[in-house]
Amino acid sequence: MKQKITIKTIAKELGVSTSTVSKALRDSHEISSETKDKIQAYANLYNYKPNNLALQLRNQKTKVIGVILPKIVHHFFSTVIMGIEEGANKKGYNIMVCFSNESYKKEVETLKVLSNGSVDGLIVSIASETLENKDFKHFIDLVAEEIPLVLFDRVVDEILCDKVVVDDVGAGYKATKHLIENGRKKIALITTPNHVNVGALRRQGYEKALIEAYIKTDKNLIVEVDEKKDIKSQIEKVFKEDIDAVFAVNEIYAANSMRIAKEKGLSIPNEISIIGFTDGLISEYSSPSITTIAQHGFTMGMQAVELLIERIENETEIYRPKKIVISSDLKIRESTKPSS
Amino acid sequence: MKQKITIKTIAKELGVSTSTVSKALRDSHEISSETKDKIQAYANLYNYKPNNLALQLRNQKTKVIGVILPKIVHHFFSTVIMGIEEGANKKGYNIMVCFSNESYKKEVETLKVLSNGSVDGLIVSIASETLENKDFKHFIDLVAEEIPLVLFDRVVDEILCDKVVVDDVGAGYKATKHLIENGRKKIALITTPNHVNVGALRRQGYEKALIEAYIKTDKNLIVEVDEKKDIKSQIEKVFKEDIDAVFAVNEIYAANSMRIAKEKGLSIPNEISIIGFTDGLISEYSSPSITTIAQHGFTMGMQAVELLIERIENETEIYRPKKIVISSDLKIRESTKPSS
DNA sequence: AAAAGTCACGAAATCGGTTTCGTGTTAACA
DNA sequence: TGTTAACACGAAACCGATTTCGTGACTTTT
């Protein structure tokens, strides 16, 4: 990189002190207008721009927000990023995005790097491996250091900080109830292993809806997908049971279910109804299009970043963690309809 | 944020100088092992971590790579990010991701902020508005400042820097030729306006394949989609023409085409074949699944970041811009087959 | 004419580290 | 015993900015 022009260069060139240059560039009243003009002209000519690092060090703030996500090639998370970015930008912040790739180790490392002064605060959705381990020390340390932290979507009670979540229980309930109201009684649930708590919560909603309708939950109708293995073959098993509907806790599971149903020659939504989660492009463009629970990722990101910036900029306040619950809603499309 | 522990704190507490602390922590031979032990123990106890900003300022390097993308909710771009992130991480770099949202103004601003010392280099895919304006001054200035820059996917000749692109002409050619070989002759092209150069290049490939097959290109079969208006209705028009195949330059256009074809009762792939671009989830999960050109976004990201880091770390070399062309390949699925 | 005030600028501290160069003490050598 | 080398540490410069405080030269007031 070319040697960038600094205040010192300007000072030397023009035979003044660095303080004079700094003041002149910030249009201080202490400097005579001739000197100001001279300095500003020189700065413009050589396209002087103050060094961010120096400013950040001096001001003890970076105006950068760190974001750690488990993955990115996923409609929900990319939507959240958009929300975060837009919210951050509005307040003059930039975002630094990293990925844990669902790995505990990478999450710990990334957290460590970012929390060493590179960012003013962090927005994180926890890696699945961490949820499985139940080892949250790295987050707890962060909170102890009083670095502003907002968790979203995948959160745990052990970490005392601000949180933004969707009403997963309610969403699972809504989805299941919709199927029940459509006359479905044998509803399969395609979910994640229980340690991914959003999956567990959605399952609670599913069970609640079934209980209310006096339907016994049947463990054989529940599939906990292990993403390390082939997804489709795991889901396929449940199709051997007698089912008339599928509730999948994400888009991919829903799309796979639909594909299997088609292969088996089942007509959708007549013989089998399918409902998904995350209102992404797959749900929208598949045919039939898939009824889903819209998670409002953009809103989540926006709320998370607003909460965080609030914390960053008003640190005097006594700290009382907030939890924002975003209600999700049902987007009815072609893959569900009342059974005739 | 809590007052973080610094070298100065440790020095004062232990009654030594800051230089001694610094050396002790870096395990310098200049310091006696007793002193080292004492200092290191203290540092561990209070969980001392050196401040990144200070180090970055001192070392004149940030180990951060800036990435500016036009959008993120898009399978191709999120895949590229993954590639960049993985490549960067491998070399000890972090990435700072920003979005231009296809806006010229935002691109200029973001570029300005990031290039003021916050990053060691930049990876950018140009915003469509910028491509339309043909105003690349902000990039040219960047190159003049000798800030390492790699452009990918959407690149222009006016900017002299390293580039990573897919062989768009070749890809368009391959896709079209595949349709022709399947006996299709009336092939619609759903593309972007011409200023988005990747669209223009893919079109060239399309035209080349047609010419080779002695098929006259028919302007009525070409749709230039304006994304500010409703996409579907624009594509719908071409279905009034007599066509037996569609080549769409991205996934969304392909999915829309498929939906329209279905609504019109055309059987896919018999009556009409459809081929897309970007091998994303939509293509994979729609039914029939869509034959597409795989862009290898991950590889692109990886190559781009490797090229960039090479530049950053070997700046003595004489500068001769490199252009890496990544060959794309055809992934044949259910939406195309020979006409009978 | 002496005291006070204004103007325009510079010296130096600061942010949190690293590193070069001294320097006082002790041990080893001639 | 005098010279030199090794050892262990500190002072100070540096990265690139900002900001407080001080100060010399002039002007104004009494």
Side-chain angles (χ1 to χ4, degrees), chain A residues 179 182-188 239 241-246 261-274 288 334-340:
Chain A
L179 293 172
N182 280 354
R184 310 289 165 168
K185 294 208 158 64
K186 293 160 285 184
I187 305 170
F239 278 82
E241 307 287 327
D242 175 28
I243 57 175
D244 58 11
V246 171
K262 279 186 187 170
E263 284 169 7
K264 300 220 176 260
L266 298 167
S267 101
I268 309 165
N270 299 319
E271 293 174 79
I272 191 158
S273 281
I274 295 177
E334 297 164 357
S335 68
T336 56
K337 81 162 207 186
S339 59
S340 38

Side-chain angles (χ1 to χ4, degrees), chain A residues 8-10 33 44 46 99 115 146 150 174 184 234 254 283-284 316:
Chain A
K8 210 176 283 182
T9 331
I10 302 181
S33 37
N44 277 327
Y46 290 98
F99 306 98
S115 65
E146 291 174 28
V150 174
K174 261 184 226 171
R184 310 289 165 168
Q234 294 176 69
S283 308
E284 189 177 344
T316 47

Side-chain angles (χ1 to χ4, degrees), chain B residues 295-339:
Chain B
Q295 270 175 291
H296 305 301
F298 188 89
T299 311
M300 277 191 83
M302 200 71 154
Q303 299 256 17
V305 80
E306 279 172 6
L307 203 53
L308 185 69
I309 293 177
E310 174 72 20
R311 284 292 178 208
I312 291 172
E313 300 187 346
N314 301 311
E315 37 176 347
T316 46
E317 269 177 39
I318 30 153
Y319 188 76
R320 196 166 305 152
K322 278 187 200 166
K323 184 169 192 167
I324 296 180
V325 178
I326 295 185
S327 72
S328 51
D329 41 47
L330 195 61
K331 205 154 197 170
I332 299 174
R333 292 211 184 83
E334 299 164 357
S335 69
T336 57
K337 78 162 209 185
S339 59

Side-chain angles (χ1 to χ4, degrees), chain A residues 252 255-256 259 282, chain B residues 75 251 278-292 331 333-334:
Chain A
I252 305 290
N256 271 294
R259 173 144 290 229
I282 301 178
Chain B
H75 186 264
E251 238 185 3
T278 308
D279 184 26
L281 296 172
I282 302 179
S283 308
E284 189 178 344
Y285 285 109
S286 70
S287 64
S289 55
I290 306 177
T291 294
T292 93
K331 205 154 197 170
R333 292 211 184 83
E334 299 164 357

Side-chain angles (χ1 to χ4, degrees), chain A residues 109-173:
Chain A
E109 275 170 20
T110 310
L111 220 52
K112 198 170 66 187
V113 173
L114 292 190
S115 65
N116 283 352
S118 298
V119 301
D120 290 345
L122 285 158
I123 297 180
V124 184
S125 188
I126 307 177
S128 74
E129 202 189 337
T130 308
L131 292 171
E132 201 167 355
N133 289 350
K134 292 192 189 305
D135 182 351
F136 307 117
K137 185 169 180 312
H138 48 311
F139 287 109
I140 292 170
D141 288 350
L142 209 69
V143 174
E145 286 183 62
E146 291 174 28
I147 293 175
L149 169 69
V150 174
L151 292 178
F152 78 91
D153 196 51
R154 304 199 194 155
V155 306
V156 294
D157 290 337
E158 286 91 329
I159 307 168
L160 284 170
C161 67
D162 294 325
K163 286 157 196 163
V164 182
V165 293
V166 287
D167 173 19
D168 282 297
V169 178
Y173 175 78

